C-alpha cells in the first residue's frame, strides 16, 4: 500500500460527488480526478464514432484511440478527449443517456480503472465515481458513499443544466437518474455498491460547506494517528 493519501467518493448520480471531491481536493491541495468525466468522454467518443458496445473488437479498437487528460484552469478541472476540450459537451443529455450503458462494458471499465490507478500511485488524490472504493482503490485512506433523496438529486441536476439545455424538463431528469441508478447497480462489471468500510454521507439536507466539513473531519480522524 502506497504512503500517499487517496480519498474515494462513490455514490449515486447527482448526489454532489464531484462538488465535494473538488472542494476537498482544493482545500487539501490534492489532485482531483473526475472518473465520471472519463466515462462520459468515452461515451462521447462512442457516440461520435457509432461504436457498437456489443462488438468487442470494435470497442477494443476504439479504446486504443481514446486519449484522456485532465488539466486545471481557473480552479476548475477540465478534461480533453484526444486533445479536444470536451468538459461542457460530456454533460449534455445525449451523453448522460449513454454513459451508464458504456461504463457497464467490461473492456471500458478495465481500461479506465488502469488509467485511474496510475493516477493514484504517487500523489495525494481525491477521486469520485461508482466503484472507486471497491474496484479502483480498495485500500483508499478514506471511503465515502454519497446518497440523497431522488427528488432532490433530480432538482439539483435540473438546476445545473437547464440554462444550457432549456428544453429539458424536471421529469426528463428524474427518469434519466432512475434509469442510470438501475444500470449502475445491476451491471455485471463493478456495479455501484457501498464498500463495507465506506462512510455513508446523506447530503439531502446538507449545505456544500457542511458536507465538506464532514469529509474533512472523517479524514482527520483517520490520519491523525497514522
Amino acid at each position: 500500500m502506497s504512503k500517499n493519501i487517496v480519498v474515494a467518493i462513490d455514490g449515486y448520480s447527482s448526489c454532489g460527488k464531484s462538488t465535494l471531491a473538488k472542494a476537498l481536493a482544493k482545500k487539501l491541495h490534492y489532485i482531483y480526478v473526475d472518473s465520471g468525466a472519463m466515462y462520459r468522454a468515452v461515451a462521447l467518443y462512442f457516440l461520435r464514432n457509432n461504436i457498437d458496445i456489443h462488438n468487442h473488437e470494435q470497442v477494443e479498437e476504439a479504446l486504443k484511440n481514446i486519449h484522456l487528460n485532465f488539466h486545471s484552469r481557473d480552479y476548475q478541472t477540465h478534461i480533453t478527449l484526444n486533445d479536444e476540450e470536451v468538459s461542457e459537451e460530456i454533460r449534455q443529455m445525449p451523453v448522460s443517456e449513454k454513459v451508464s450503458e458504456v461504463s457497464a462494458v467490461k473492456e471500458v471499465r478495465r481500461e479506465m480503472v488502469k488509467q485511474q490507478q496510475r493516477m493514484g500511485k504517487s500523489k495525494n488524490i481525491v477521486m469520485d465515481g461508482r466503484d472507486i472504493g471497491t474496484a479502483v482503490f480498495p485500500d483508499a485512506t478514506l471511503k465515502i458513499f454519497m446518497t440523497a433523496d431522488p427528488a432532490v438529486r433530480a432538482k439539483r441536476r435540473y438546476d445545473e443544466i437547464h440554462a444550457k439545455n432549456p428544453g429539458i424538463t424536471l421529469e426528463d431528469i428524474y427518469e434519466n437518474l432512475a434509469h442510470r441508478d438501475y444500470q449502475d447497480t445491476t451491471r455485471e462489471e463493478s456495479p455501484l455498491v457501498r464498500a463495507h468500510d465506506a462512510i455513508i454521507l446523506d447530503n439531502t439536507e446538507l449545505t456544500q460547506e457542511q458536507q465538506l466539513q464532514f469529509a474533512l473531519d472523517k479524514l482527520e480522524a483517520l490520519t491523525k494517528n497514522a
Side-chain angles (χ1 to χ4, degrees):
M1 183 175 177
S2 60
K3 295 181 180 180
N4 56 294
I5 294 174
V6 173
V7 179
I9 302 177
D10 293 309
Y12 295 95
S13 301
S14 298
C15 280
K17 297 187 300 296
S18 296
T19 298
L20 174 58
K22 290 175 185 177
L24 191 59
K26 182 178 179 180
K27 180 74 173 179
L28 298 172
H29 302 290
Y30 289 3
I31 300 297
Y32 167 60
V33 179
D34 184 352
S35 71
M38 296 172 70
Y39 287 104
R40 283 176 172 271
V42 173
L44 176 60
Y45 183 92
F46 280 20
L47 282 169
R48 287 178 172 179
N49 294 277
N50 299 310
I51 304 299
D52 179 3
I53 63 170
H54 302 293
N55 185 322
H56 296 294
E57 291 184 359
Q58 200 175 85
V59 168
E60 291 275 16
E61 189 62 30
L63 290 172
K64 293 177 184 177
N65 297 313
I66 294 175
H67 305 285
L68 306 177
N69 279 299
F70 287 98
H71 64 278
S72 296
R73 187 175 70 246
D74 301 327
Y75 300 103
Q76 297 293 322
T77 300
H78 300 263
I79 187 169
T80 57
L81 168 61
N82 297 334
D83 297 322
E84 176 193 354
E85 168 71 58
V86 293
S87 300
E88 293 289 342
E89 190 172 356
I90 62 172
R91 301 297 172 183
Q92 300 305 311
M93 280 303 290
V95 174
S96 293
E97 292 171 347
K98 188 74 172 177
V99 64
S100 288
E101 184 181 25
V102 170
S103 64
V105 177
K106 177 174 61 177
E107 292 86 353
V108 173
R109 296 209 71 82
R110 289 180 178 175
E111 176 59 28
M112 292 301 101
V113 167
K114 287 180 184 177
Q115 292 195 29
Q116 291 158 11
Q117 288 175 332
R118 282 198 294 269
M119 294 176 188
K121 280 185 176 179
S122 60
K123 298 179 180 179
N124 295 331
I125 66 169
V126 182
M127 187 180 298
D128 67 294
R130 303 290 189 281
D131 61 350
I132 309 305
T134 53
V136 185
F137 292 111
D139 294 324
T141 311
L142 171 64
K143 302 177 188 178
I144 294 176
F145 189 89
M146 293 183 67
T147 185
D149 181 90
V152 172
R153 292 164 54 205
K155 182 62 166 60
R156 288 172 179 168
R157 180 69 175 148
Y158 176 80
D159 292 341
E160 178 185 356
I161 69 172
H162 181 256
K164 297 174 184 175
N165 192 354
I168 201 73
T169 67
L170 185 58
E171 184 178 359
D172 290 336
I173 298 293
Y174 191 92
E175 291 178 355
N176 174 251
L177 290 180
H179 179 63
R180 290 175 64 188
D181 285 351
Y182 176 78
Q183 288 188 312
D184 289 343
T185 55
T186 60
R187 67 182 178 224
E188 181 178 347
E189 190 74 16
S190 297
L192 170 63
V193 293
R194 181 176 74 90
H196 71 91
D197 52 350
I199 299 169
I200 295 177
L201 171 55
D202 185 334
N203 69 354
T204 300
E205 298 181 354
L206 296 182
T207 65
Q208 292 181 13
E209 292 76 16
Q210 288 172 327
Q211 68 177 16
L212 173 58
Q213 192 59 53
F214 176 94
L216 288 169
D217 290 345
K218 297 300 181 183
L219 184 59
E220 181 182 7
L222 288 170
T223 59
K224 65 180 180 180
N225 296 320

